[in-house]
Amino acid sequence: MAKTSLMVKASRPQKYKVREYNRCKVCGRSRAYMRKFGMCRICFRENALKGMIPGVVKSSW
Protein backbone atom coordinates (compact mmCIF):
# COMPACT_ATOMS: atom_id res chain seq x y z
CA MET A 1 0.00 0.00 0.00
CA ALA A 2 1.36 3.39 -0.97
CA LYS A 3 1.60 6.31 1.40
CA THR A 4 -1.65 8.20 1.66
CA SER A 5 0.19 11.49 1.31
CA LEU A 6 1.62 10.45 -2.07
CA MET A 7 -1.78 9.30 -3.34
CA VAL A 8 -3.32 12.65 -2.34
CA LYS A 9 -0.42 14.53 -3.93
CA ALA A 10 -0.89 12.66 -7.23
CA SER A 11 -4.64 13.31 -7.28
CA ARG A 12 -4.23 17.09 -6.98
CA PRO A 13 -3.97 19.09 -10.21
CA GLN A 14 -0.33 19.80 -10.97
CA LYS A 15 1.13 23.18 -11.87
CA TYR A 16 2.47 21.71 -15.13
CA LYS A 17 0.95 18.83 -17.10
CA VAL A 18 4.28 16.98 -17.40
CA ARG A 19 4.46 16.56 -13.64
CA GLU A 20 1.36 14.34 -13.58
CA TYR A 21 1.88 10.60 -13.19
CA ASN A 22 -0.30 7.53 -12.97
CA ARG A 23 -1.07 5.54 -9.83
CA CYS A 24 -2.99 2.32 -9.31
CA LYS A 25 -6.66 2.99 -8.56
CA VAL A 26 -6.75 0.07 -6.09
CA CYS A 27 -3.57 0.31 -4.01
CA GLY A 28 -1.87 3.55 -5.11
CA ARG A 29 1.31 1.94 -6.45
CA SER A 30 3.14 4.13 -8.98
CA ARG A 31 5.38 1.51 -10.61
CA ALA A 32 4.33 -1.22 -13.06
CA TYR A 33 1.14 0.69 -13.92
CA MET A 34 -0.99 -0.72 -16.74
CA ARG A 35 -2.70 2.20 -18.45
CA LYS A 36 -5.33 0.07 -20.20
CA PHE A 37 -6.68 -1.28 -16.90
CA GLY A 38 -5.77 1.59 -14.55
CA MET A 39 -4.01 -0.62 -12.01
CA CYS A 40 -0.61 -2.03 -11.17
CA ARG A 41 0.55 -5.50 -12.16
CA ILE A 42 -0.07 -6.97 -8.71
CA CYS A 43 -3.69 -5.79 -8.46
CA PHE A 44 -4.23 -6.75 -12.11
CA ARG A 45 -3.07 -10.31 -11.47
CA GLU A 46 -5.19 -10.69 -8.33
CA ASN A 47 -8.33 -9.37 -10.04
CA ALA A 48 -7.73 -11.37 -13.23
CA LEU A 49 -7.39 -14.64 -11.29
CA LYS A 50 -10.62 -13.86 -9.40
CA GLY A 51 -12.36 -13.21 -12.74
CA MET A 52 -13.18 -9.60 -11.92
CA ILE A 53 -11.72 -8.17 -15.15
CA PRO A 54 -13.96 -8.99 -18.13
CA GLY A 55 -12.25 -10.43 -21.19
CA VAL A 56 -9.04 -11.43 -19.39
CA VAL A 57 -8.26 -15.15 -19.22
CA LYS A 58 -5.14 -17.03 -18.21
CA SER A 59 -3.27 -18.06 -21.31
CA SER A 60 -2.16 -21.61 -22.04
CA TRP A 61 -0.53 -23.03 -25.15
Side-chain angles (χ1 to χ4, degrees):
M1 190 73 175
K3 279 185 173 181
T4 309
S5 60
L6 291 177
M7 293 191 311
V8 170
K9 183 180 177 184
S11 67
R12 276 189 265 140
Q14 297 296 319
K15 187 174 182 180
Y16 302 105
K17 186 165 173 45
V18 262
R19 290 186 184 174
E20 293 176 0
Y21 56 97
N22 298 316
R23 283 195 170 265
C24 177
K25 305 288 186 273
V26 181
C27 66
R29 183 182 166 92
S30 62
R31 296 179 183 221
Y33 178 82
M34 299 170 112
R35 191 179 295 179
K36 184 175 180 181
F37 300 101
M39 58 181 76
C40 67
R41 63 179 174 82
I42 300 165
C43 295
F44 173 79
R45 186 166 191 265
E46 289 173 359
N47 290 329
L49 291 175
K50 290 177 189 173
M52 297 176 73
I53 304 173
V56 176
V57 292
K58 188 175 179 199
S59 67
S60 60
W61 62 94

